[in-house]
Amino acid sequence: KAGVTQTPRYLIKTRGQQVTLSCSPISGHRSVSWYQQTPGQGLQFLFEYFSETQRNKGNFPGRFSGRQFSNSRSEMNVSTLELGDSALYLCASSYGGAAQETQYFGPGTRLLVL
Amino acid sequence: AQRVTQPEKLLSVFKGAPVELKCNYSYSGSPELFWYVQYSRQRLQLLLRHISRESIKGFTADLNKGETSFHLKKPFAQEEDSAMYYCALRHDYGQNFVFGPGTRLSVLP
């Protein structure tokens, strides 16, 4: 099976712009989670989508949003970008999101905000 | 609040020596703990989870609820174990994880 893919891999934006990142889960997986990774804060959970519904949400401002499509592909959007949004954004997928399932991570999208 | 701490940013050991990567957590409910590993230029991947009580690549981890710890251990470190290790706690339901800051393990020849 193909692994989790994320596009684009690298992105440069300026403050105030918005950005959309895409994640394609492993075929058959319905749960997609998003994480932000920074040197200062480490890995932080953004949100999880399951069957097109947001099931969990981390402690991020409303500028961070996401959605999931019927084919389980997910997008996350960040509006009004700030310098502090520069990070590696990881997505992960699992079949149903249960504890005993393995979560598979993508390679990440590295976002630089200037 | 849920929190995972890993006191060592960097741990260096010699090949063949025992290794222990420390992880402590704070969680009000019944915790589910995991160890994730990221080898150089590879993706983050699951190493082991406490509910499976498994040994992967010679690593084991025991959940100690009294000490709120989930330390990762291996009796004889190998050079290929050099990587970044993250302890993680899953709370609520679904795939909502709290990760520790990570420990970089360096196994010296």
Side-chain angles (χ1 to χ4, degrees):
Chain A
K1 282 186 178 177
V4 177
T5 58
Q6 292 185 246
T7 57
R9 293 294 311 279
Y10 303 92
L11 207 48
I12 300 176
K13 292 285 188 179
T14 55
R15 278 182 300 175
Q17 286 187 309
Q18 75 165 16
V19 66
T20 299
L21 311 182
S22 180
C23 172
S24 293
I26 290 172
S27 177
H29 285 189
R30 294 183 296 166
S31 167
V32 175
S33 297
W34 288 90
Y35 295 84
Q36 182 195 65
Q37 186 174 28
T38 59
Q41 299 296 320
L43 267 163
Q44 292 184 284
F45 174 78
L46 279 156
F47 28 66
E48 181 204 4
Y49 284 87
F50 177 76
S51 292
E52 301 179 64
T53 301
Q54 187 180 87
R55 183 159 68 173
N56 281 292
K57 188 177 189 304
N59 189 26
F60 277 81
R63 300 186 297 107
F64 291 81
S65 62
R67 59 178 176 169
Q68 187 179 35
F69 301 95
S70 58
N71 62 359
S72 294
R73 188 177 70 85
S74 177
E75 290 181 346
M76 67 162 280
N77 183 277
V78 188
S79 63
T80 321
L81 284 166
E82 299 177 1
L83 295 180
D85 297 333
S86 295
L88 180 68
Y89 290 89
L90 295 171
C91 84
S93 77
S94 66
Y95 177 70
Q100 64 270 25
E101 296 168 14
T102 298
Q103 189 175 208
Y104 294 89
F105 281 83
T109 292
R110 188 165 296 280
L111 171 64
L112 177 62
V113 182
L114 301 175
Chain B
Q2 302 84 7
R3 193 177 176 201
V4 177
T5 57
Q6 295 178 251
E8 302 128 334
K9 277 191 173 180
L10 173 65
L11 184 63
S12 295
V13 300
F14 286 102
K15 177 183 172 182
V19 62
E20 181 180 51
L21 290 88
K22 291 184 167 51
C23 170
N24 288 89
Y25 66 91
S26 60
Y27 184 60
S28 56
S30 183
E32 296 177 33
L33 278 298
F34 301 76
W35 276 99
Y36 280 81
V37 61
Q38 188 166 27
Y39 301 102
S40 178
R41 290 185 289 278
Q42 292 190 27
R43 304 180 183 195
L44 191 62
Q45 58 185 284
L46 177 68
L47 180 62
L48 56 79
R49 68 196 96 193
H50 92 271
I51 57 173
S52 301
R53 304 184 70 82
E54 56 205 342
S55 172
I56 304 294
K57 298 185 179 182
F59 284 98
T60 58
D62 291 316
L63 178 61
N64 186 324
K65 291 187 179 181
E67 295 182 358
T68 59
S69 68
F70 188 56
H71 303 328
L72 184 67
K73 300 176 184 178
K74 185 170 183 177
F76 307 103
Q78 302 299 314
E79 289 182 68
E80 55 266 30
D81 296 328
S82 295
M84 194 74 177
Y85 290 80
Y86 295 93
C87 182
L89 178 154
R90 176 184 173 276
H91 71 103
D92 296 333
Y93 54 92
Q95 297 287 1
N96 183 351
F97 284 80
V98 176
F99 281 85
T103 296
R104 182 168 298 281
L105 174 64
S106 177
V107 181
L108 308 172

